[in-house]
């Protein structure tokens, strides 16, 4: 595993429609192509799709799981870390990421977005379920989302 | 300290304009009057105002602090609990409350609201800074907010 | 609830022999008599006995629970706070206490003792199950344990 | 990064004598040779030495940091995850590992050992600073420690 230089969390629901999964897959793939380390919540839906995309793109995938063991981990994680913290693990995801990309999303996703913004981290959104949150930057496509994320992280 | 029967978290920013503080004070006072245990983040602004209101109303006030010690606690807490968890303590507030009342608010508040909704807990809002979040029930006044919260908690 | 001035965590196993429970009860009672706020893990065994002692002595009792709701709380808590953090709540107990008194104990207790010592907090032990831990001060009786704890906390 | 099959936490102090670091280095190296994923607290001393050993052995290294950013991470981590949880991150290390190897150690180490034992996970120790803890299996050398850890994990 070569040296990689930025950490991006892809956040979204554990169950979602196929078109949202397709977006997440392409986001994950693009992150891998641009040498990002993908962090996610480790479960299904958006998390699994993004991890699969990153894996198939040759990237590194890390899942930070809410439960006490690896049973709920999706199969696309190289590093699967059960925390036993329940939803408090969302704060770790926001803490460990340099930038967050939200795809679709539910209340858990909204909490991760809010926690990242609280820490002054950039948040990019794609088909975001909560369009009214100030500070979230909307992207038009998976490639645009990752490009935007990379640009926002690089900003001094 | 007599037996009390419901736990309500009042969430909001650590610094806020006086009119938001005034709302928070009255929310806290009304919670005390209705035998609620007030949970808050233990710091200033909305948290301090709500705790002061509850204290002056004869209620019980609990602060769940992000830092490692009690130095940042407001003076209106009967029980001040430093956690050392940083923003992850927001998940504890959402977990420990039966219902959440958001007053004004910033990103931290939004995370608490989202975490409570994730756990299917009722959330009532007063002058809420993020009006577009589905599932949040708006109230017109402090008394209405506490009445609504109590009604939503009592619902089977 | 009058102003109280020190926080003491009583830690020990959720199930324990009656003689350990009797010690914990007397520790809790003595803490209440000396205006301490009792913090515990909120469950049975040592936690319940200490909380009952403190309650019957007119004190304030706080339980910081590992699970996501109040169902496992013992009936002697005035403030019962579910955290959803699992064993990570042990770190909060160590963080929120000014001093720790261990009674009997299992591995969870040992973790709380170690986390408190890590934070340079005094730890007093009564019938402690792990006698070889340096830095733990053994007490001969419940009254002696609380006296010792109070003295160690007061030390500049 | 190929598929690896077991997670081992190497725990110990952030500052330690050179002979303890040498042991940790060899433990890390042996873990890598046996396809383990190394989890550690991400900082210096035992954590850095074990991560360096695993890296130089071609392994995967994960650091779960207590602070809010990556500034305290040692340079041998492929995945460095700041949590912002302070010492509560010790519970995550115990949760995420299949087995724990303690080398030398201080109070933080003792808490990780206790939390792992609480979760019924095997704990192997090398030059352990707290020899009296029941359930900890002592090893005579780094190679023996890793062999023992692997055997204990494989046990049904």
């Amino acid at each position: 595993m070569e040296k990689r230089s930025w950490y991006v969390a892809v956040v979204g629901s554990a169950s979602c429609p196929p078109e949202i999964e397709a977006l997440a897959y392409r986001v994950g793939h693009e992150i891998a192509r641009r040498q990002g380390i993908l962090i996610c919540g480790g479960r299904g839906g958006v998390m699994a799709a993004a991890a699969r995309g990153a894996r198939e793109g040759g990237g590194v995938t890390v899942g930070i799981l809410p439960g006490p063991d690896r049973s709920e981990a999706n199969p696309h994680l190289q590093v699967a870390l059960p925390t036993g913290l329940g939803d408090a693990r969302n704060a770790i995801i926001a803490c460990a990421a340099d930038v967050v990309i939200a795809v679709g999303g539910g209340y858990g996703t909204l909490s991760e977005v809010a926690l990242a913004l609280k820490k002054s981290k950039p948040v990019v959104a794609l088909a975001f379920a909560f369009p009214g949150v100030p500070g979230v930057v909307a992207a038009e496509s998976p490639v645009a989302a990752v490009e935007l994320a990379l640009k926002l992280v690089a900003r001094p």
Side-chain angles (χ1 to χ4, degrees), chain A:
Chain A
M1 184 161 106
E2 72 276 33
K3 184 85 181 179
R4 282 162 187 272
S5 52
W6 60 307
Y7 291 74
V8 49
V10 178
V11 298
S13 293
S15 69
C16 62
E19 61 271 22
I20 293 292
E21 279 195 13
L23 291 174
Y25 174 86
R26 289 170 57 209
V27 166
H29 204 275
E30 190 68 16
I31 289 168
R33 209 175 66 79
R34 289 167 177 272
Q35 312 301 317
I37 293 178
L38 175 85
I39 294 174
C40 70
R43 299 175 70 214
V46 161
M47 304 171 243
R52 188 164 65 83
R55 273 313 261 146
E56 293 180 7
V60 175
T61 56
V62 179
I64 300 179
L65 294 153
D69 59 48
R70 263 175 279 276
S71 60
E72 60 184 347
N74 72 60
H76 313 294
L77 304 171
Q78 284 164 302
V79 175
L81 301 171
T83 66
L85 297 180
D87 295 331
R89 75 84 150 79
N90 293 7
I92 300 182
I93 292 173
C95 194
D98 297 317
V99 58
V100 171
I101 301 177
V103 185
Y107 289 130
T109 314
L110 180 60
S111 75
E112 292 164 314
V113 163
L115 289 162
L117 292 169
K118 177 79 170 11
K119 293 173 200 289
S120 303
K121 299 196 176 171
V123 176
V124 175
L126 203 56
F128 190 40
F130 305 93
V133 180
V136 174
V137 185
E140 294 301 309
S141 72
V143 169
V146 178
E147 264 172 12
L148 200 45
L150 190 45
K151 201 166 86 181
L152 290 166
V153 164
R155 213 164 51 180

